[in-house]
Amino acid sequence: MMKKKLAIFELTDCGGCALNILFLYERLFDLLEFYEIGEFHMASSAHEGGHYDVGIVTGTVSSHRDLELLKEARNRSDYLMALGTCATHGCLQASVEMPLKEKLKAIYGNEGNPMRALEPKPVVEYVAVDLAIPGCPYDKNELFQALMDIAKGIEPTTPDYPVCIECKLNEYECVLVKKGLPCLGPITLGGCNAVCIRSGLGCIGCRGPLPGEVNPAGEFEILRELGYGEDYIVRKFKTFARWEP
Ligand code: SF4
Ligand code: SF4
Ligand code: SF4
């Protein structure tokens, strides 16, 4: 069987999503039965170039270098995956609502824009992707399954339900109702198996909003009735997904 060629392209981010691939540990060898990795800076200095069957992009477009690399990744990959919330929604570095000039000045003083920075945006704002797997970081089981499916010619399925569903299936206590914690589970895309609720924490929305019938106004009202301020709630909603409408 011909192995598929795989490349991982890393834009500006914390490195967590690329590192998380290595945390597949021995299951990486299962993937290597189907894939030959041509580019993966976190793990290797190899840089094959040329065409890839599958490209994975992590990070936000935060500089002209990122934008050039993203376009190259799109042009050179048959199947392109946005991996992690930086790539799918913009994540933390895109959450600060301040003109780019002011941000640069606050950090670097009057030196202008030596790194050719751009306003941080998710990759899906610039190019079409074939699959988006959010999460900060994403659930590595989801990535593993998606890559195995692609290798076998099956289109990966993605969750279409909120975190609350997984929370209920696991019979976790509702921290919103019982403790008044500001849990965003009702409006956040599931797929993480409600891992934060298992630890007694509220969901902070790291997988981004549930597309479709999501009701942020209802969640907003519930949090307001619990005593949270409007600014706090709006900031919380925008922490991981400011670029969502
Ligand atoms: S999504 Fe989160 S873990 Fe992944 S690169 Fe961005 S900040 Fe890091
Ligand atoms: S704890 Fe959060 S995710 Fe779980 S049911 Fe309550 S609101 Fe939903
Ligand atoms: S429970 Fe919420 S914050 Fe925690 S991993 Fe899942 S989506 Fe992210």
Side-chain angles (χ1 to χ4, degrees):
M1 186 190 69
M2 278 275 285
K3 290 188 182 183
K4 287 190 182 296
K5 289 190 118 188
L6 173 70
I8 293 107
F9 301 94
E10 296 157 53
L11 312 182
T12 300
D13 63 17
C14 79
C17 281
L19 189 63
N20 209 27
I21 296 172
L22 298 177
F23 289 161
L24 282 167
Y25 297 122
E26 66 275 7
R27 282 190 295 169
L28 272 175
F29 294 104
D30 296 332
L31 288 177
L32 292 175
E33 296 283 319
F34 298 93
Y35 291 97
E36 179 189 326
I37 298 179
E39 212 164 309
F40 184 10
H41 291 174
M42 178 68 77
S44 158
S45 55
H47 181 89
E48 282 190 9
H51 171 82
Y52 293 109
D53 297 297
V54 181
I56 294 177
V57 184
T58 70
T60 57
V61 176
S62 300
S63 68
H64 283 278
R65 172 261 178 198
D66 288 338
L67 188 53
E68 284 152 23
L69 182 57
L70 174 62
K71 286 179 180 167
E72 193 188 323
R74 177 65 279 185
N75 289 337
R76 286 167 52 201
S77 309
D78 279 351
Y79 192 101
L80 191 68
M81 183 192 304
L83 184 62
T85 302
C86 282
T88 60
H89 295 85
C91 208
L92 300 180
Q93 67 255 41
S95 69
V96 181
E97 287 185 279
M98 187 194 272
L100 179 64
K101 259 190 178 173
E102 284 180 34
K103 286 187 209 171
L104 287 167
K105 194 166 179 196
I107 304 296
Y108 300 106
N110 290 321
E111 293 188 14
N113 188 353
M115 70 294 289
R116 299 171 71 222
L118 293 169
E119 182 67 44
K121 288 185 187 176
V123 306
V124 296
E125 288 286 319
Y126 287 101
V127 299
V129 298
D130 301 287
L131 180 68
I133 298 184
C136 181
Y138 56 88
D139 181 333
K140 56 184 187 286
N141 297 320
E142 194 178 358
L143 173 66
F144 179 79
Q145 191 56 52
L147 284 173
M148 288 304 246
D149 285 348
I150 294 165
K152 293 171 185 171
I154 301 166
E155 186 56 30
T157 54
T158 48
D160 58 357
Y161 45 78
V163 174
C164 283
I165 297 287
E166 293 172 326
C167 189
K168 295 293 178 205
L169 288 172
N170 282 296
E171 299 184 355
Y172 296 147
E173 182 178 75
C174 178
V175 296
L176 180 71
V177 173
K178 296 280 184 186
K179 298 184 186 168
L181 294 182
C183 182
L184 299 189
I187 58 169
T188 299
L189 181 68
C192 60
N193 206 20
V195 64
C196 299
I197 301 33
R198 185 181 65 200
S199 304
L201 303 168
C203 169
I204 56 175
C206 88
R207 288 178 59 87
L210 175 73
E213 75 283 355
V214 66
N215 181 7
E219 173 85 12
F220 189 88
E221 276 313 309
I222 290 169
L223 295 183
R224 253 194 359 177
E225 279 165 22
L226 284 170
Y228 296 99
E230 289 191 11
D231 285 353
Y232 172 84
I233 301 169
V234 170
R235 273 208 313 278
K236 206 160 179 61
F237 279 14
K238 290 183 172 180
T239 303
F240 291 95
R242 178 158 80 88
W243 288 99
E244 283 288 315

